[in-house]
Amino acid sequence: MENLKLALIGDIHGFWDRKDNEYFDRSDYDALLLTGDFPGYLPFSGRTVTRGIAKLNKTVYWIPGNHDSTNVVQLLGEILHSKWMIRTGSIGHQFRLTCLQRRMGDTVCLGYSATDLDSKTVLVGARPFSMGGPLSFLPLLKKVYGVSSMKESFEKMKSLYPKIQGKDCIVLAHNGPAGYGSKRDDIWGCDFRKKGGDWGDGDLRRFLDFLKEKGEKVSLILAGHMHRKIRDLNRDRTWKVSENSSHTINAAKVPRIFKTKEGNLYRHHIRLERKNGIWDCQEIFVAEKGEERISLPEDEEFLFSSDTF
Ligand SMILES: [Fe+2]
Ligand SMILES: [Fe+2]
């Protein structure tokens, strides 16, 4: 199997700038994979990010997150389970998505899709706009993808099987699959409820189980959404689960650009490298002058604040 080197960038939330463009353009990555959630928490903050990413001279694959092309009314509607708010907020959603895709230039927007990375490797985009819990942004999913239930969502992913068969499969999703534990600091554990719970997606779980039954090899399951830091526990959730040379990764280290206590600034991404058919996954912290570190000692604890950027 050919060697392959990919960069995985978790939820960006506004943390992208010229230095990222310089670094990734100079890098030897074959492609960049993005888990979505481009905007920060200020209006239009996503524009700088999308403009920067569109300029990259690398092939970029991304999946829309719950913050991409959506608005506050929709997001609140999803959180409060208000059908009225979801419906009202969804007016113009398809148009906003088209505009976002246009702003992203030549990048590849994934969602219920499978695309070949090389002759033996396929990249599968799971359900776009996922934020855990019930099917989110239903009006758009119905209109654009013809999906109106978890079952239909699973069937839609299952229909990609002919494109996946016999290949080394990589799955990119915004939120990860169910089945990885229900403790608050598990990889997709529900940290916003005291009792925890499994916040992974059931449709994606069924799809992965289906591929397993068929004897297909899913080497990498890549997603984000459930941010790494669990504030009240003041610790990070599990970011990687490896089993039989397959790796499941939650890349959402937010903010991905941060300063340490000593005032050193780092940029985070994950390096996925396949050599002789074996995948190796490594966190990379890029310092100001471009030097790379694969870990940061605990005494360099992060200052967890967006004003560091
Ligand atoms: Fe998200
Ligand atoms: Fe996010």
Side-chain angles (χ1 to χ4, degrees):
M1 211 175 281
E2 290 165 58
N3 291 347
L4 195 59
K5 200 170 175 184
L6 307 168
L8 171 65
I9 299 153
D11 302 19
I12 290 176
H13 287 297
F15 289 88
W16 182 279
D17 66 11
R18 194 172 38 83
K19 289 221 164 184
D20 289 300
N21 274 69
E22 286 166 11
Y23 173 83
F24 287 112
D25 278 345
R26 262 200 326 264
S27 74
D28 59 352
Y29 286 119
D30 296 300
L32 271 56
L33 311 181
L34 277 50
T35 65
D37 274 3
F38 300 139
Y41 297 100
L42 294 170
F44 304 110
S45 53
R47 301 272 167 116
T48 330
V49 175
T50 51
R51 217 175 291 135
I53 293 168
K55 277 189 202 150
L56 284 162
N57 63 23
K58 296 278 174 186
T59 310
V60 177
Y61 300 94
W62 59 284
I63 185 151
N66 52 311
H67 289 277
D68 301 309
S69 75
T70 57
N71 59 33
V72 177
V73 179
Q74 284 173 289
L75 283 164
L76 268 177
E78 293 294 343
I79 291 163
L80 303 170
H81 304 293
S82 158
K83 282 186 181 163
W84 179 82
M85 286 176 88
I86 293 170
R87 221 178 308 126
T88 310
S90 77
I91 296 166
H93 192 174
Q94 191 173 9
F95 176 71
R96 293 194 301 273
L97 175 60
T98 309
C99 292
L100 170 63
Q101 287 167 331
R102 205 174 295 148
R103 278 202 306 281
M104 290 290 280
D106 294 333
T107 63
V108 184
C109 178
L110 300 174
Y112 298 118
S113 57
T115 176
D116 286 336
L117 293 184
D118 61 30
S119 60
K120 296 216 168 60
T121 316
V122 64
L123 175 64
V124 174
R127 168 163 52 96
F129 302 102
S130 170
M131 54 189 289
L135 211 63
S136 29
F137 308 102
L138 196 57
L140 184 91
L141 286 195
K142 258 188 202 170
K143 212 176 191 176
V144 176
Y145 306 98
V147 166
S148 49
S149 66
M150 281 289 186
K151 187 171 179 291
E152 282 177 15
S153 179
F154 160 64
E155 297 287 345
K156 185 108 180 160
M157 286 188 257
K158 193 176 146 190
S159 71
L160 302 168
Y161 178 59
K163 294 181 179 174
I164 298 169
Q165 212 171 357
K167 290 185 176 159
D168 188 15
C169 179
I170 302 172
V171 173
L172 182 66
H174 181 59
N175 187 46
Y180 285 95
S182 49
K183 293 203 299 291
R184 295 177 69 212
D185 58 354
D186 278 329
I187 187 164
W188 282 289
C190 178
D191 60 297
F192 52 86
R193 285 182 189 150
K194 277 278 170 284
K195 59 179 181 5
D198 184 345
W199 202 244
D201 287 336
D203 51 344
L204 183 51
R205 178 75 268 157
R206 278 186 75 185
F207 174 57
L208 294 168
D209 290 345
F210 162 80
L211 292 178
K212 197 175 177 185
E213 271 168 35
K214 292 282 181 187
E216 298 303 326
K217 166 106 178 143
V218 180
S219 295
L220 302 173
I221 301 162
L222 313 170
H225 182 64
M226 297 300 274
H227 297 179
R228 185 82 64 86
K229 192 72 155 187
I230 299 174
R231 287 173 192 247
D232 63 319
L233 299 179
N234 197 29
R235 66 167 181 259
D236 285 4
R237 64 171 72 244
T238 305
W239 70 273
K240 180 171 77 162
V241 176
S242 299
E243 213 179 355
N244 305 329
S245 75
S246 290
H247 307 278
T248 302
I249 294 173
N250 179 344
K253 185 167 183 59
V254 181
R256 61 170 287 274
I257 306 177
F258 55 85
K259 267 185 187 168
T260 61
K261 269 182 183 165
E262 284 75 21
N264 302 316
L265 194 136
Y266 288 98
R267 287 147 203 278
H268 176 262
H269 74 278
I270 293 164
R271 176 172 297 162
L272 312 167
E273 200 169 5
R274 187 180 64 198
K275 277 185 185 163
N276 306 317
I278 307 287
W279 282 99
D280 180 57
C281 312
Q282 189 85 66
E283 281 198 289
I284 304 289
F285 300 90
V286 184
E288 268 300 76
K289 287 180 180 151
E291 59 274 30
E292 294 171 357
R293 294 176 64 171
I294 53 169
S295 66
L296 290 176
E298 272 183 36
D299 59 349
E300 282 197 54
E301 199 182 304
F302 311 149
L303 280 176
F304 187 69
S305 159
S306 56
D307 63 16
T308 56
F309 179 62

